[in-house]
Amino acid sequence: MGTDTVRAGTADEAGGLRREQRGWYFYDWACSVYSTSVLTVFLGPYLTSVAENAADAGGYVHPLGLPVRAGSFFAYSVSLSVILAVLVMPLVGSAADRTGRRKPLLGAAAYTGAAATAGMFLLDGDRYLLGGALLVVANAAQSVAMMLYNSYLPQIAPPEERDAVSSRGWAFGYAAGSLVLVADLVLYTAHGSFGLSETAAVRVCLASAGLWWGAFTLVPLRRLRDRHTRMAGATAPGLRQLAATVRDMRRHPLTLAFLLAYLVYNDGIQTVISQASVYGSEELRLGQSTLIVAVLLVQVLAVAGALAMGRLARAHGAKRTILGSLVAWTLTLAAGYFLPARAPVGFFVLAGGIGLVLGGSQALSRSLFSHLVPPGKEAEYFSAYEVSDRGMSWLGPLLFGVTYQLTGSYRSAIVSLVAFFVVGFALLARVPVRRAIAAAGNPVPEMI
């Protein structure tokens, strides 16, 4: 009888985890549409055009009296968003670990971002400052929400399942991105049939991403469970809390070494994602429909790529698989520099290469880092991790924007990002992940 009771309890616990995992996947389904439709496809070229409408004769806008080339405004706005996120994420992460109340914080961040995204329907004419403000709020809120979302991974998946669970989450997100992009493509290319102008169609696509984000966030908020902890201590202001987190990481130098490598190479990945549409429209002179099809191709292949790289990680280890993906990123970026203008086929081939490595490199990085986090510090450590995730990196967009401002060439701006992948590869190759997992106090999986 006692054995049957234990088995029943174990089965119930496993069933509860499966239910939470399915709910967890749905946050990727909810928010990835923002990352795809808004950040990657529409907002970069559209906000750039709005800024150009407001520019002076020299091509400059003047937010807060500062001269900024209109073509750099979007990249600078992305950089500003991460400054806000850096202030907020450590504070929220520490509060989540201290109280165990991740779910209300996740809901607040998600709906703040969704509301800001829906508000992009108002972005028209020369309202570039409104667009920049909404972008900063949405990006920062997305960053906070993703930090909380990622911190659930060690709680809902045992060590041997995390690569697979993380990869499925990314696959769900890319599947949602593909579905909504198909609808966006229909609306944008046939906007006249719907009685819309081209700019109105873009604004509808932007706002609908916010509505989608808000609607499907209800699923994880219903299924995920809060786990209260016994951590004590008051939270400090954002930068002080981030400094405290980094000081705590100094007791786990191998975890800090992995995070440094991740921050470098993921900065490159996120900058490519956020600036690729600007590169395609401004440098390669490709139309919006071509860009939508290219990103749709990325989304479709990323689903297969994320699942395939998850299987590679089971056979060869997550670290080796990530290193291989960084080589692929470097080669893809170098090829992008030589793409001729008005050549959509070459751009599609490049998009296919990005899609095959995009989801897997991010999913495996997330699951690998989850092994390196000391128990009870999940949200706090993931707040530092999230600084460079989902297009919230500041150094990459800043380098991209400054390079363009100095050279006037998007080709020079895009090739400058190769450094992130080369340095990131070198740093990751030096991290002994098995020793790092053991030092963090976690069980070491058989294959890592």
Side-chain angles (χ1 to χ4, degrees):
M1 182 68 176
T3 301
D4 291 340
T5 301
V6 170
R7 287 175 179 170
T10 302
D12 289 343
E13 182 179 352
L17 285 179
R18 292 289 180 266
R19 175 180 170 81
E20 283 193 90
Q21 287 172 8
R22 289 191 289 270
W24 187 78
Y25 299 149
F26 263 93
Y27 187 71
D28 243 322
W29 177 272
C31 71
S32 290
V33 170
Y34 163 80
S35 299
T36 303
S37 293
V38 177
L39 191 63
T40 305
V41 177
F42 287 108
L43 189 58
Y46 186 63
L47 183 55
T48 299
S49 70
V50 171
E52 288 171 347
N53 288 340
D56 59 21
Y60 286 83
V61 290
H62 300 270
L64 303 178
L66 300 174
V68 173
R69 193 187 287 266
S72 297
F73 181 75
F74 173 69
Y76 287 155
S77 297
V78 174
S79 294
L80 182 59
S81 73
V82 82
I83 295 174
L84 178 60
V86 165
L87 293 172
V88 176
M89 281 195 300
L91 179 62
V92 175
S94 181
D97 285 333
R98 181 171 54 86
T99 65
R101 294 180 60 78
R102 284 176 172 77
K103 192 157 63 170
L105 295 170
L106 173 62
Y111 283 107
T112 297
T117 305
M120 290 176 186
F121 181 78
L122 303 175
L123 178 57
D124 197 9
D126 59 357
R127 298 177 182 174
Y128 75 98
L129 283 176
L130 173 63
L134 291 173
L135 169 60
V136 168
V137 171
N139 263 356
Q142 165 70 328
S143 190
V144 172
M146 283 302 298
M147 172 267 294
L148 294 164
Y149 165 73
N150 287 337
S151 71
Y152 273 101
L153 182 58
Q155 298 184 347
I156 64 172
E160 65 276 7
E161 292 184 10
R162 286 183 200 165
D163 287 345
V165 170
S166 184
S167 296
R168 288 190 202 108
W170 282 106
F172 257 63
Y174 286 119
S178 300
L179 180 64
V180 174
L181 268 183
V182 170
D184 288 343
L185 181 60
V186 171
L187 178 64
Y188 180 80
T189 55
H191 56 83
S193 302
F194 295 96
L196 297 172
S197 66
E198 182 176 325
T199 57
V202 171
R203 289 160 50 215
V204 168
C205 291
L206 292 172
S208 63
L211 298 178
W212 178 285
W213 185 358
F216 284 102
T217 293
L218 292 172
V219 178
L221 292 183
R222 286 180 61 86
R223 292 196 174 187
L224 291 172
R225 293 189 297 115
D226 278 334
R227 292 163 173 83
H228 294 280
T229 66
R230 296 182 179 180
M231 290 185 63
T235 56
L239 286 175
R240 287 174 54 196
Q241 183 59 51
L242 180 60
T245 300
V246 173
R247 282 196 300 271
D248 185 75
M249 283 184 175
R250 291 173 63 183
R251 299 190 296 110
H252 304 281
L254 298 180
T255 298
L256 190 58
F258 172 82
L259 182 61
L260 177 61
Y262 173 78
L263 291 178
V264 171
Y265 70 73
N266 196 57
D267 210 340
I269 292 173
Q270 298 304 330
T271 307
V272 172
I273 293 171
S274 66
Q275 304 302 322
S277 59
V278 176
Y279 181 70
S281 63
E282 300 296 320
E283 182 68 37
L284 302 183
R285 304 299 178 186
L286 300 174
Q288 188 72 67
S289 297
T290 300
L291 297 177
I292 295 173
V293 172
V295 175
L296 179 59
L297 180 62
V298 169
Q299 299 297 300
V300 171
L301 291 178
V303 175
L307 297 177
M309 287 183 66
R311 295 189 184 96
L312 284 174
R314 287 198 295 272
H316 304 288
K319 178 183 173 180
R320 289 191 184 93
T321 307
I322 295 170
L323 288 172
S325 75
L326 297 183
V327 174
W329 273 107
T330 302
L331 295 175
T332 301
L333 206 60
Y337 176 81
F338 295 102
L339 279 182
R342 298 182 177 86
V345 174
F347 194 68
F348 291 153
V349 172
L350 197 69
I354 289 175
L356 289 175
V357 295
L358 174 60
S361 56
Q362 293 176 312
L364 294 178
S365 296
R366 177 172 64 185
S367 60
L368 183 54
F369 184 71
S370 73
H371 293 287
L372 307 179
V373 177
K377 297 272 190 176
E378 290 86 1
E380 184 179 345
Y381 273 55
F382 268 109
S383 70
Y385 174 92
E386 187 60 27
V387 166
S388 190
D389 203 13
R390 290 284 192 156
M392 306 302 160
S393 311
W394 65 272
L395 183 57
L398 182 62
L399 176 62
F400 187 93
V402 168
T403 302
Y404 176 74
Q405 177 136 345
L406 293 176
T407 66
S409 169
Y410 283 106
R411 291 186 187 273
S412 298
I414 203 75
V415 81
S416 69
L417 304 179
V418 167
F420 290 97
F421 298 100
V422 174
V423 175
F425 181 98
L427 292 174
L428 178 59
R430 295 173 59 87
V431 179
V433 291
R434 287 185 171 276
R435 189 145 50 92
I437 294 170
N442 294 316
V444 182
E446 182 178 345
M447 178 58 70
I448 194 66

